[in-house]
Amino acid sequence: MRTMLKGSMLALGFAALAATTAPAQEATFVMTARLVGAPTYNPIKATKLNTATTLIFDRLVVQDADQSFHGQLAHSWESSPDGLQWTFRLKPGVKFHNGEPFNARTVAWWVPQFKGSENAFTVEAIERVEVVDDLTVRFHMKHPDPNLLFNLASSFMCIPEPKAYEALGDKFGVTEAIGTGPYRMQQFTVGQQTVLVRNDDYAWAADLSKNQGPARFKKLTFREIAEESTAYLELKTGGADLLVNVPTDFLPRIQADKAVKLVTFPGNELVYMPINTSVEPFTDRKVREATAFAVNQKEILASLYGGNGAVADTFLISSLKEAQVEPKFRIAYDPERSKRLFDEAGWKPGPDGVRVKDGKRLAVKLWTQNGTEFKRLVEIVQAQLKAVGMQAEISIIDAGSINAQYRKKTEHQLAIRSYQWANADIVDWFFAAKRAGYPNVSMFNDPEAERLNDIAMNKSKTWDERVANFTRYHEYVLSQYPFAPIYQPVQSLAYGKRIVMPEKIRGMGLYSPTLLDIAPAN
């Protein structure tokens, strides 16, 4: 009996040792201010998605950081010489989380679902979808669309399962989200967290991933924490394993923390200040121009971000060819120009420094979403506007509801916000008249801009022609000052000792190609 007890105790000891040394099978990732507040995982109807989306769903193709395209649900594709047909050959054996097969009929069902949605522009050039055979699908185009592959690689073109999508209606993406991705959605609480469990049948990863089978972790929890200091504390104390997007102003603190590792890679984000062109005093182009040139981008880069990243002087990230505009269109801090334009518009300095016109003070509303970085940034901009005679009243609005507030169209005048995108068509997204309210927070509606938008979006036959057309469109928007550019962050993530990162981040950010390769530490 004593021998049996001794053996049992020994076995328990080995089991405990194994439990403490075996790799953890669960991990917690934290999404900070820029990614919080997505109300749904319905990629077709969403206007905001987060990192977890590409783990639930797959796309036909994905894009690497070098702008090259790689197959995910499609293994190959080709375009006809005239650009009017695109043929995609699909991977065999792919199944949705509910067991339904993915095939050419899925794609033929999927494309028409975008009609009438905010994301309809992504497939507007497709006239019809032909099912050639079970694993071959052909797009017949209304006109050539050199941007098609980029559209197909976006998170908004993740492919949902048809039967579940139709059965759930507006609840799809909230109560359930059925895709073909490496994880299934177990639970989603809007604004709080998303819990994913591994899809053990996954075997169709893009070649950007070294891991071609099921994910390394059995369970991932994505928590949403808008306050960056709270998010960092969670990582430091072991409550989280990874911060998906580290605010740039936190980089010095994290770099000094030996318990945390940091990865920084080129960004695809731009921070800017939309100006509501539909409300006074910003119906006056001179007032908008004066406001735009009052923002000191270099001061913000140095004081808030410690020199990490770069200033922004257009609406596009500087790595894009369409960002290479004529110097006269660039927007950079010029306080004397700002003051002169305010004077020309009739806004004269008052006794307390705030400008006045016709007995009315130059007092405006300045919005942003919650989160430490946004709060600090909006306070700096407030001070910079005050220096040229504009009084800005700050409102901090919850990230989950701010877009609905923008849709009211007249309650905001200025705002501080950001976008993440690596294609010039973001100018259409945020300044096309048909999207006024949100995402066109600037309420920009200009006939010449609409004409140039149509040429850029619909009449470009080749990629080079598209670049030229979007550059002209971009320059015209810049000339009308519906926004002020501020900052281009780097992309950064921080992680603790319980996980192992791959040597290289693949794709346009921290999405499924890299997340598949993240592993538990030994």
Side-chain angles (χ1 to χ4, degrees):
M1 185 174 179
R2 194 177 294 122
T3 303
M4 290 174 60
L5 182 60
K6 183 178 179 181
S8 299
M9 293 294 288
L10 189 61
L12 285 170
F14 281 125
L17 179 63
T20 57
T21 58
Q25 292 300 300
E26 299 182 11
T28 298
F29 297 169
V30 170
M31 298 182 291
T32 52
R34 285 183 173 83
L35 292 174
V36 304
T40 180
Y41 283 103
N42 182 337
I44 293 173
K45 296 183 178 180
T47 57
K48 181 175 185 176
L49 293 169
N50 62 35
T51 307
T53 307
T54 61
L55 291 175
I56 302 169
F57 304 97
D58 290 320
R59 295 155 281 177
L60 286 176
V61 299
V62 292
Q63 189 176 18
D64 202 359
D66 63 2
Q67 310 293 313
S68 61
F69 293 97
H70 300 253
Q72 190 170 55
L73 290 175
H75 67 72
S76 63
W77 55 89
E78 60 188 20
S79 173
S80 61
D82 60 7
L84 293 177
Q85 290 186 1
W86 284 81
T87 303
F88 291 84
R89 293 173 180 82
L90 311 179
K91 292 181 179 179
V94 176
K95 290 188 176 182
F96 287 97
H97 299 152
N98 59 0
E100 291 293 322
F102 168 80
N103 51 38
R105 289 184 296 278
T106 308
V107 179
W109 164 87
W110 167 65
V111 170
Q113 302 304 312
F114 285 90
K115 186 176 181 180
S117 74
E118 293 277 10
N119 302 318
F121 76 96
T122 57
V123 297
E124 278 179 344
I126 301 175
E127 178 70 39
R128 64 184 178 91
V129 182
E130 175 190 359
V131 176
V132 178
D133 58 43
D134 201 43
L135 293 176
T136 309
V137 64
R138 182 169 295 133
F139 295 163
H140 295 265
M141 312 297 289
K142 300 174 186 175
H143 53 78
D145 183 5
N147 200 44
L148 181 65
L149 287 178
F150 181 88
N151 287 345
L152 292 174
S154 89
S155 297
F156 296 101
M157 299 203 78
C158 289
I159 302 179
E161 196 280 308
K163 291 182 180 178
Y165 189 91
E166 294 180 351
L168 290 166
D170 289 340
K171 292 181 180 179
F172 186 91
V174 180
T175 59
E176 286 187 80
I178 309 298
T180 59
Y183 284 90
R184 309 165 186 257
M185 190 177 86
Q186 184 180 78
Q187 183 261 334
F188 173 44
T189 304
V190 177
Q192 296 184 36
Q193 70 174 22
T194 303
V195 180
L196 306 180
V197 293
R198 185 169 63 195
N199 175 10
D200 290 326
D201 297 326
Y202 195 74
W204 42 86
D207 62 9
L208 296 181
S209 303
K210 288 185 178 180
N211 173 23
Q212 292 291 298
R216 305 300 190 192
F217 286 98
K218 288 184 178 180
K219 185 176 182 180
L220 292 179
T221 299
F222 285 84
R223 294 176 58 195
E224 301 184 32
I225 302 178
E227 290 294 332
E228 284 88 352
S229 55
T230 305
Y232 171 62
L233 185 61
E234 285 292 303
L235 178 65
K236 187 175 178 64
T237 59
D241 298 294
L242 182 145
L243 298 189
V244 174
N245 51 328
V246 178
T248 310
D249 58 328
F250 267 67
L251 291 181
R253 189 183 308 183
I254 290 177
Q255 287 167 335
D257 190 337
K258 295 182 180 180
V260 175
K261 295 182 180 180
L262 181 71
V263 177
T264 300
F265 47 102
N268 59 1
E269 182 177 7
L270 191 133
V271 181
Y272 70 106
M273 181 173 72
I275 300 172
N276 190 339
T277 62
S278 70
V279 297
E280 297 291 346
F282 299 115
T283 53
D284 187 336
R285 177 182 172 278
K286 281 189 176 180
V287 174
R288 300 197 301 269
E289 183 178 352
T291 305
F293 280 93
V295 177
N296 189 339
Q297 294 94 341
K298 289 183 179 179
E299 179 186 58
I300 290 169
L301 175 64
S303 64
L304 181 57
Y305 299 110
N308 291 294
V311 298
D313 57 10
T314 75
F315 194 71
L316 298 174
I317 58 174
S318 56
S319 60
L320 296 179
K321 289 183 178 180
E322 297 90 338
Q324 309 313 307
V325 298
E326 292 289 330
K328 66 181 180 180
F329 294 110
R330 296 186 181 276
I331 302 171
Y333 178 56
D334 189 338
E336 296 310 312
R337 178 173 176 174
S338 175
K339 292 173 184 177
R340 185 184 73 250
L341 286 162
F342 276 128
D343 288 340
E344 291 175 3
W347 291 94
K348 306 296 184 181
D352 61 352
V354 177
R355 292 178 179 271
V356 179
K357 180 180 180 180
D358 299 329
K360 186 175 182 179
R361 290 162 60 82
L362 188 57
V364 302
K365 301 171 187 174
L366 175 58
W367 288 15
T368 197
Q369 68 184 61
N370 54 344
T372 307
E373 181 183 347
F374 283 113
K375 289 177 182 177
R376 292 177 62 188
L377 178 54
V378 78
E379 288 170 357
I380 295 174
V381 171
Q382 180 190 47
Q384 293 177 351
L385 295 175
K386 183 179 180 181
V388 296
M390 178 180 286
Q391 179 182 320
E393 178 186 344
I394 295 174
S395 293
I396 307 296
I397 301 172
D398 180 72
S401 61
I402 195 168
N403 292 348
Q405 295 297 317
Y406 287 136
R407 288 189 175 95
K408 294 180 180 179
K409 300 183 178 181
T410 59
E411 295 193 6
H412 69 283
Q413 290 168 289
L414 301 174
I416 301 295
R417 51 177 291 107
S418 69
Y419 74 77
Q420 287 186 307
W421 202 247
N423 192 287
D425 59 10
I426 198 69
V427 185
D428 160 78
W429 184 246
F430 283 114
F431 296 110
K434 63 185 177 183
R435 298 193 182 91
Y438 184 84
N440 181 359
V441 177
S442 300
M443 296 295 295
F444 189 56
N445 187 352
D446 181 284
E448 178 63 8
E450 293 299 293
R451 185 185 73 83
L452 294 170
N453 176 307
D454 179 57
I455 293 171
M457 290 291 291
N458 303 314
K459 295 182 170 60
S460 303
K461 295 184 176 63
T462 66
W463 184 261
D464 288 343
E465 187 177 337
R466 183 180 186 275
V467 168
N469 289 337
F470 260 104
T471 303
R472 284 192 290 271
Y473 173 40
H474 183 206
E475 287 180 336
Y476 182 77
V477 171
L478 288 165
S479 76
Q480 300 306 300
Y481 304 99
F483 77 101
I486 300 176
Y487 171 64
Q488 296 183 78
V490 290
Q491 294 187 74
S492 303
L493 60 90
Y495 61 99
K497 61 183 179 181
R498 293 196 296 261
I499 66 174
V500 176
M501 289 291 297
E503 294 181 2
K504 186 176 181 181
I505 304 294
R506 301 300 300 269
M508 299 299 291
L510 186 66
Y511 295 109
S512 57
T514 295
L515 288 167
L516 266 175
D517 287 337
I518 294 178
N522 291 326

